[in-house]
Amino acid sequence: MDPHGRRRATAAAAALTCLLGAGLGGAALLMRPAAAGAAAIPATPAPEAREHRTAIDARLSARVRARIAEFEERAARETKGRVSPAEVSVAVHVREVGAAGEVVSIGADRPMRPASNLKLVTSSAALVLLGADWRFETVLETDGAVEGGLLRGDLVARAGADPLYDRGGDGSVDALLAPAVLALERRGIRAIEGSLVLDELDYAAPAPAPAWPDPGQRWSEFCALAGGFSANAGCLTATVKPSSFGEPAEVRVEPRHNGLERKGRVETAAAKTRLDVRVEARAGAALVEGSIPRGVPSWSARFAAPDPVELFGHALAGALADRGIAVRGSLKRARAPLQGRWTELARISTPLAAVLEPINTDSNNACADQLFLALGHARGGAGTREGGRVAVARALERLGVPAEGLVQVDGSGLSRDNRVTARQITALLGAVLRLDERSARTFVDSMAIASESGTLDGRMRDPLLAGKVRAKTGFIAGTGALSGILETKDGRRLVFSILVEYPPADGLNRSCWKPMEDAICADLAGADG
């Protein structure tokens, strides 16, 4: 857990009680038990109350429109006219949970790039189709026999699309692999006569999705690939600690068993000099080079591994070797037969909830893409992007959310070809909150808390918002987004979606669109007339 984990966990519980305990549709049943599967039925307001609420919502819509105009003008000023209001598209849709109609609707039916708000679609579909108790399962099998400590045959790993990722760790996957390795030990296995075979089943080979960033950015963590197997969410994590001035710094790369040659050297520089460390993995090598000043406790960075399947294979083979289990054959990728006399020896099992948090709180792209492929494998016919799209369409149909205008290329939102409407996102949020209480709680728990956690830990410090907004951020060049759940000052629970498209301009999302999103949330939270 990170240094603020205990505080953040407490804040998360408080926010969840605030959001769920007082009336978020079916999720309100968490605090007010009712018959299984029952949905909360909002009381019909008196005509005078409806008229009063309609008037409040009309004024709120006007304030939101004024906010949009204010920040469009700011963008024009900051870019000296290079980004004019006519070139900016902003969509806003807001619903009250458990109530009919809409609170705000501005451009809400325009398909737009969602950036990482697409992760809400992926994670919602997973909860609908797989359930909150579903787990990623990587099964280790053999068709051989164990004789005198020797496994006479291959050890076959069946793909489960598990990111094998420790959110609060240093990139090591040793602890995540340990239960499976110990299970092999308990079966008396001390050596494997055959090979370690990675059966990718029907999962697609790792590759960039259409309209991903250009190849010059593919080394970055946000471009990490997904596949039937992965480790550390398809990334390497480099940690650098300075030593004495002029001496090589201490460099550690995790997962330490990665199959790549280590290259580069990091020098320890004088205190108060510039930190300059470069990382990259390609052409069979992991490069970490540059300089780190004395006095810096440590520095770390995550960067994409060339192939998550190979990374997993080397990590597992290394974990076996560390426990004295020698693999006498090679590491192979093959479509091993499923028929025959196979014996399960061990499995790596990861709960869905443990992956939803890095997806929606930290916006981890590779975890989202791993889940998208797992959805395709489990419910879409194959562990491919097409399979993922089929599965998501089934989830939307089950939730009663119209799919018209939705284009989903990946699970993360990194592709510029993705499209969704603000109305679809709010419909999706409201529908997931009406699921069974465990699914609703898992979904709300997975999102960042304003001013407290993940990608929102530095935003919405206003007491009206801090700790009271659960949301998913989103950004790719020329695109900003924020969608989630908040409570108003007068006790209404709202789901909202704000999507922005604009001509790409460095820093504009930070200086204009994030502040605009936060200001709109403040307007919504204070909407008491």
Side-chain angles (χ1 to χ4, degrees), residues 14-104:
L16 184 61
T17 299
C18 172
L19 288 168
L20 294 183
L24 284 185
L29 301 176
L30 289 168
M31 303 300 291
R32 295 196 302 273
I41 302 175
T44 302
E48 314 85 64
R50 287 200 302 269
E51 290 176 6
H52 178 64
R53 180 57 60 200
T54 299
I56 289 175
D57 291 348
R59 291 195 295 272
L60 178 58
S61 291
R63 284 203 298 273
V64 172
R65 290 182 185 276
R67 286 289 188 196
I68 294 170
E70 171 192 346
F71 282 94
E72 287 176 341
E73 291 297 331
R74 179 191 289 191
R77 288 195 306 274
E78 291 195 2
T79 62
K80 296 181 169 50
R82 294 194 311 276
V83 176
S84 70
E87 296 175 293
V88 178
S89 295
V90 180
V92 181
H93 197 255
V94 184
R95 304 172 189 260
E96 181 175 359
V97 177
E102 56 194 10
V103 177
V104 177

Side-chain angles (χ1 to χ4, degrees), residues 238-240 251-253 262-266 277-280 286-290 299 303:
T239 301
V240 181
V251 178
R252 189 176 77 254
V253 176
R262 274 282 306 283
K263 288 189 175 181
R265 172 186 170 108
V266 180
V277 179
R278 298 170 296 282
V279 295
E280 186 177 16
L287 174 70
V288 184
E289 65 177 5
W299 174 91
F303 53 108

Side-chain angles (χ1 to χ4, degrees), residues 230-242:
S230 188
N232 192 27
C235 285
L236 301 172
T237 301
T239 301
V240 181
K241 295 182 179 180

Side-chain angles (χ1 to χ4, degrees), residues 331-364:
L331 176 63
K332 295 181 179 179
R333 295 168 71 163
R335 309 287 177 174
L338 294 171
Q339 293 75 30
R341 298 174 62 87
W342 291 95
T343 301
E344 179 179 328
L345 299 174
R347 64 175 53 206
I348 302 162
S349 182
T350 300
L352 173 61
V355 175
L356 291 186
E357 191 169 1
I359 290 174
N360 288 334
T361 292
D362 303 329
S363 205
N364 187 297

